[in-house]
Amino acid sequence: MRAVIALAAALGSLLLGGCLLRLGGQQPLRARGWQEEEAGVAAVTPKVVQALRSPLTPLPQTENRYELPSRRTTANKNGIYQFEQASKCKAIQDNILSSSIKKKRYSEDYYLHIVTKLQNCTWIRRPEESTKFSPLGSNMSYEVDSKKTILITEDIFKMLPVSSPLSVYPFKTCAVVGNGGILKNSSCGAEIDSSDFVFRCNLPPTTGSISKDVGNKTNLVTVNPSIIAQKYNKLNEKKTEFLENIAVYGDAFLLLPAFSFRSNTATSFKVYHTLKEFKATQRAIFFHPAYLKSLAQFWRTKGVKAYRLSSGFMITSAALELCENVKLYGFWPFSKSTEKMPISHHYYDNQLPKPGFHAMPKEYNQILQLHGKGILKLQFGKCESD
């Protein structure tokens, strides 16, 4: 009973094992965008941001009223071209926005067509847009099994951190690395590893030759309890193999959805106790169920209606709260590239998700919108190498 009372008093400010919910402070966290890559980018005005359009470069002006007509003509043509290009990019954004609120299912070819066009639009950071994204909440029932509750015993209460495990936020630059096959031969590894904080999904491989494409720096990696069950027999055995495999992640946090389904709880707690038993450098933390529930409700209003959000989409949302600049790699839910070349589902295998469990195209539609609004940056294809 003491633990329950203590929890009731603490849940307003305490992260439930790394829920990534408030992380201290009284003001809601604000999502931020990626850094401008090109010098001389025009300042973004709120009016332009609200219109979802790229900043337009004003028509060149000159102090010399007697400028030669040919130079004025060239300047006017450049201004007209930039205006037309910005108008086209705004139309693309409007198209993405309208498709997100319709119930119609769109084909891969539709999205590939949109991405092909979007790649030609100059990406501009728009901090003003970021202030609109801050889904929060707190209570203590299961996220998906919402009619079921869990009694916070003394043992469970001791697992919870006294203070936020990510107390040094906001991070300047963050990389959220998905597991899409588009990462193969991308040469993005060095760029990913240069980020201040790197998020990864579901214990992916990062060593060997693949590291040049995906990097190996890891600060936080999600762990689906089904992986622990299937690959490590719920840690009833194969503990040594598990510890050897996660050693590649250094001192990363292992983020588990212990309170999403009741069936996830025991396995998630087993990971926590195994790490503690063997004094592993990694640390297990748990998503707060109310945070995930609020997150699902927030994205449902944006048209993402699925049984459950994907792990990649969850940590993307969390990264927008924890980081000033967010860049996504390996997010590609399609079976082919914009050039119609086949792409495996993951960069390490081609195992498809359960049909109907996640709404991948709808999630990707939202990611495209966030990219277009300048809230985060999505890496398309290969990274530039030095």
Side-chain angles (χ1 to χ4, degrees), residues 63-330:
E63 296 180 358
N64 182 2
R65 70 175 67 183
Y66 301 108
E67 184 182 14
L68 293 176
S70 60
R71 293 184 61 186
R72 290 200 303 270
T73 301
T74 301
N76 289 338
K77 285 183 178 179
N78 289 338
I80 291 172
Y81 170 78
Q82 292 168 349
F83 179 84
E84 291 178 346
Q85 186 67 15
S87 297
K88 290 179 181 179
C89 290
K90 180 186 181 302
I92 295 171
Q93 293 302 321
D94 290 344
N95 193 9
I96 296 173
L97 178 61
S98 64
S99 65
S100 69
I101 60 178
K102 294 180 181 178
K103 295 182 179 180
K104 179 180 178 180
R105 288 181 63 90
Y106 292 93
S107 66
E108 279 194 5
D109 289 336
Y110 166 82
Y111 282 106
L112 293 174
H113 178 67
I114 291 294
V115 170
T116 301
K117 287 187 173 182
L118 191 62
Q119 284 177 297
N120 295 322
C121 296
T122 301
W123 187 85
I124 303 295
R125 178 190 175 204
R126 293 186 175 119
E128 294 88 345
E129 284 288 338
S130 302
T131 61
K132 302 175 184 177
F133 288 82
S134 184
L136 301 172
S138 70
N139 67 37
M140 197 50 219
S141 62
Y142 279 99
E143 173 208 350
V144 181
D145 296 338
S146 57
K147 295 182 179 179
K148 300 174 182 177
T149 59
I150 180 172
L151 175 64
I152 305 301
T153 63
E154 189 77 19
D155 289 338
I156 295 176
F157 190 74
K158 289 178 180 179
M159 294 185 199
L160 310 184
V162 176
S163 60
S164 167
L166 300 176
S167 58
V168 296
Y169 89 98
F171 303 101
K172 184 70 176 177
T173 60
C174 292
V176 181
V177 187
N179 296 331
I182 197 171
L183 272 175
K184 284 195 290 189
N185 301 316
S186 67
S187 299
C188 288
E191 185 174 304
I192 290 170
D193 287 347
S194 68
S195 304
D196 295 329
F197 200 92
V198 179
F199 298 81
R200 297 185 188 272
C201 302
N202 294 330
L203 304 180
T206 60
T207 57
S209 60
I210 195 64
S211 64
K212 67 180 177 59
D213 296 325
V214 305
N216 50 44
K217 179 178 181 178
T218 305
N219 299 101
L220 183 150
V221 58
T222 66
V223 183
N224 191 323
S226 64
I227 296 175
I228 304 300
Q230 296 167 10
K231 192 172 181 179
Y232 302 105
N233 191 27
K234 298 183 179 180
L235 294 179
N236 293 321
E237 54 188 51
K238 298 186 177 181
K239 288 184 180 180
T240 301
E241 181 182 351
F242 168 71
L243 293 168
E244 289 175 350
N245 288 347
I246 65 171
V248 299
Y249 302 124
D251 58 356
F253 292 104
L254 304 188
L255 179 60
L256 300 111
F259 306 108
S260 293
F261 300 89
R262 190 160 62 177
S263 58
N264 286 350
T265 306
T267 303
S268 298
F269 287 178
K270 194 67 174 286
V271 171
Y272 175 92
H273 289 300
T274 298
L275 296 178
K276 189 174 181 180
E277 176 187 356
F278 290 89
K279 297 180 173 59
T281 58
Q282 300 79 28
R283 180 180 174 187
I285 56 177
F286 310 132
F287 263 128
H288 194 302
Y291 174 78
L292 295 181
K293 188 179 296 185
S294 297
L295 202 61
Q297 292 172 348
F298 172 79
W299 287 115
R300 195 171 292 119
T301 66
K302 305 291 183 181
V304 183
K305 299 178 181 178
Y307 185 67
R308 197 159 187 265
L309 299 177
S310 68
S311 298
F313 202 54
M314 288 178 185
I315 59 173
T316 295
S317 302
L320 289 173
E321 297 186 47
L322 292 167
C323 311
E324 292 184 10
N325 303 287
V326 178
K327 189 168 184 180
L328 270 55
Y329 303 82

Side-chain angles (χ1 to χ4, degrees), residues 181 184 334-335 342-353:
K184 284 195 290 189
F334 311 116
S335 61
I343 293 181
S344 60
H345 188 68
H346 297 135
Y347 65 80
Y348 47 85
D349 66 31
N350 197 33
Q351 184 174 348
L352 301 178

